[in-house]
Amino acid sequence: MRFVSTRGSRDSLRFSEAVQKGVAFDHGLFVPEDFPSIEVRNARAWPDFGVPVLSPFLEGDPLENLLSDICERAFDFPLELKFLDPSTAVLELFHGPTAAFKDVGARFLSEVTNHLQKGTRKTVLVATSGDTGGAVASAFHRKPDTTVFVLFPKGKISPLQEKQLTCWGENVTAFSVRGDFDDCQRMVKEAFADLGFTQRNLLSANSINLGRLLPQMVYYAFASSRYFSERNRKPGFIIPSGNLGNAVAAFWTRRLGFPIREIILATNANHSVPDYFNTGSWKPHATIPTLANAMDVGNPSNMERLIHLFPDLRELKQVARAVSVRDPEISKAIVSSHQQWSQVWCPHTAAAAHVRQRLSADDWIIVATAHPAKFREIVEPLLGRGIQAPPVLMDLLSRPSHCVEIAPKLEALKAALE
Ligand SMILES: *Cc1c(COP(=O)(O)O)cnc(C)c1O
């Protein structure tokens, strides 16, 4: 299997090369050249789906024979599909080391890069709107020959999220940027285009990197298959969406032939994707801060992959919808989901729950992207009760934190690195 650019240049690369490059020569994003149809038999737990789903994508790659080892190390935590009522289930993706779905992609990427260019120094540079940085920092912490720099928007992430970025030390440094997520993302993009940086053997760990996106197909394959075998009907997924990395993996999984009926993108007040569905024109906007901060993205980078997959908007609309959910609706959904299903959800998951509550009784899987304890400042007052943090989070809270504050400029980042 080879991977091609969304922008159509002729270079096509194997998986390992695409992971190392991050972005294609023409600045497009890598996408699989084609989607084989995959059938998985005799798989029960979610990690069992790893090798059958991913092996076609690593065919002919130097890492092909290491795939099962990589999956075993990366997918070493639980993930649950819970049936809530006769037409609703929740896919809990927050049982990993940093309690957010990004653990799946970050851990896979770190295992992959561990096998690449052994012995040469690598620098991982990542911008985060909240959870990416923690997942990447945790996955790469103490990995040999690897230095990690995380950029986050100062004051725009939750205290627990900040702790998850700043508590590592050793090979991980966090930068608190005086700007928003789009500034952080822009600085990372500029660094990748800057010669001084490329000499450092830079690796991108944002969801533009294939090494984070592909493994996310594993849980969609697992959840859709499980739902289908339980109820004999194809589920639709409602996905809390920001940069669209999670959603693109779902669309890809559907292309592989897994039983996914349709996909709904639940965004927060950041409305560029729903606008595109309504008008057919793509107009990114400045980021709007919301309660679901990991989805505060006005210019989602993976939109390019979605448009590449569905160049014709009419075809996209046959399998997908996009809904913008505002803060008051998110707050209400946190309360009503607790009443309706006895579930305590983070604001991102609540956006998806809000969408579910307005749909008819088809089969729906709500994708739960983070543990609510990461957003206790928002969730606890709404429910009027405390939330028990999982042990991984409790452990982080007890560590000291350290970060370096910088201006939202590439020059400031350069200076800080020296
Ligand atoms: C990152 C994140 C999202 C958005 O995922 P994308 O892949 O960027 O669309 C949603 N919820 C949580 C909790 C996240 O951390």
Side-chain angles (χ1 to χ4, degrees):
M1 169 77 73
R2 301 188 73 87
F3 296 87
V4 295
S5 167
T6 45
R7 300 198 186 165
S9 69
R10 276 162 305 154
D11 53 322
S12 75
L13 300 179
R14 297 212 186 279
F15 175 73
S16 310
E17 299 164 318
V19 165
Q20 284 168 87
K21 279 222 73 197
V23 180
F25 291 102
D26 60 2
H27 304 293
L29 304 183
F30 289 111
V31 292
E33 176 180 58
D34 68 335
F35 293 89
S37 86
I38 296 179
E39 221 177 304
V40 178
R41 292 178 195 280
N42 302 323
R44 298 180 59 87
W46 80 277
D48 301 340
F49 285 80
V51 172
V53 169
L54 296 174
S55 58
F57 296 93
L58 268 76
E59 211 176 278
D61 192 273
L63 296 184
E64 187 175 6
N65 294 328
L66 293 167
L67 179 62
S68 113
D69 182 51
I70 290 170
C71 289
E72 200 170 308
R73 290 163 150 280
F75 307 150
D76 67 345
F77 55 88
L79 193 151
E80 271 183 64
L81 184 71
K82 283 187 187 163
F83 292 86
L84 300 179
D85 67 37
S87 63
T88 315
V90 59
L91 175 61
E92 291 184 351
L93 300 176
F94 53 69
H95 300 291
T98 69
F101 84 93
K102 294 188 176 82
D103 285 324
V104 175
R107 291 180 66 76
F108 187 84
L109 178 65
S110 118
E111 291 303 329
V112 164
T113 55
N114 208 18
H115 289 293
L116 295 172
Q117 299 175 301
K118 274 206 151 94
T120 36
R121 288 215 63 80
K122 288 159 264 192
T123 302
V124 175
L125 191 59
V126 67
T128 185
S129 57
D131 291 330
T132 300
V136 168
S138 152
F140 283 88
H141 184 226
R142 296 191 175 149
K143 288 284 180 207
D145 305 319
T146 310
T147 313
V148 182
F149 298 108
V150 182
L151 279 65
F152 70 92
K154 182 181 179 220
K156 296 199 167 67
I157 65 178
S158 86
L160 228 159
Q161 285 177 322
E162 182 161 338
K163 193 80 191 182
Q164 283 186 320
L165 302 178
T166 55
C167 71
W168 302 99
E170 296 168 82
N171 64 332
V172 179
T173 305
F175 290 108
S176 161
V177 176
R178 290 191 289 272
D180 60 21
F181 171 65
D182 291 324
D183 289 317
C184 298
Q185 188 152 262
R186 174 184 45 77
M187 288 163 75
V188 168
K189 279 189 187 150
E190 286 171 4
F192 273 85
D194 186 291
L195 270 179
F197 275 92
T198 40
Q199 277 164 3
R200 283 172 166 265
N201 203 359
L202 270 192
L203 191 76
S204 113
N206 280 107
S207 61
I208 52 172
N209 197 309
L210 258 188
R212 273 194 48 202
L213 280 207
L214 284 184
Q216 293 174 172
M217 297 191 299
V218 174
Y219 52 74
Y220 286 112
F222 156 76
S224 58
S225 304
R226 267 286 329 269
Y227 195 100
F228 190 74
S229 69
E230 188 88 10
R231 298 206 161 147
N232 211 20
R233 293 186 303 268
K234 289 185 183 184
F237 283 94
I238 310 172
I239 307 174
S241 296
N243 232 343
L244 299 188
N246 201 0
V248 163
F251 283 102
W252 286 354
T253 313
R254 190 174 180 278
R255 280 281 165 103
L256 298 176
F258 285 91
I260 299 174
R261 190 186 67 243
E262 60 186 301
I263 292 165
I264 301 188
L265 310 174
T267 72
N268 55 23
N270 289 276
H271 52 80
S272 52
V273 178
D275 285 357
Y276 174 74
F277 274 71
N278 291 332
T279 65
S281 66
W282 177 234
K283 289 211 187 82
H285 56 73
T287 299
I288 301 165
T290 75
L291 293 174
N293 67 7
M295 312 190 324
D296 290 352
V297 188
N299 186 8
S301 35
N302 284 297
M303 191 61 191
E304 191 162 334
R305 283 185 165 120
L306 188 59
I307 292 176
H308 186 263
L309 196 63
F310 293 97
D312 183 344
L313 176 62
R314 281 165 307 180
E315 270 176 48
L316 174 61
K317 284 166 91 166
Q318 280 165 14
V319 298
R321 290 178 249 179
V323 183
S324 166
V325 183
R326 309 283 150 152
D327 277 356
E329 297 164 326
I330 288 177
S331 299
K332 273 188 218 144
I334 289 174
V335 176
S336 60
S337 303
H338 187 234
Q339 288 161 348
Q340 187 173 353
W341 295 299
S342 306
Q343 299 292 305
V344 178
W345 281 330
C346 78
H348 314 79
T349 309
H354 169 84
V355 173
R356 168 66 193 100
Q357 288 168 330
R358 263 143 204 80
L359 292 166
S360 61
D362 292 328
D363 294 81
W364 294 106
I365 298 179
I366 295 167
V367 177
T369 46
H371 193 286
K374 291 184 84 167
F375 303 89
R376 62 183 347 150
E377 301 75 18
I378 296 166
V379 179
E380 285 180 346
L382 286 167
L383 296 183
R385 51 170 270 193
I387 300 170
Q388 184 64 41
V392 279
L393 295 184
M394 298 294 287
D395 176 49
L396 291 181
L397 284 174
S398 63
R399 302 192 194 184
S401 5
H402 181 70
C403 69
V404 180
E405 189 177 319
I406 58 172
K409 298 236 160 52
L410 184 64
E411 294 312 313
L413 177 61
K414 269 190 186 165
L417 294 186
E418 279 154 17

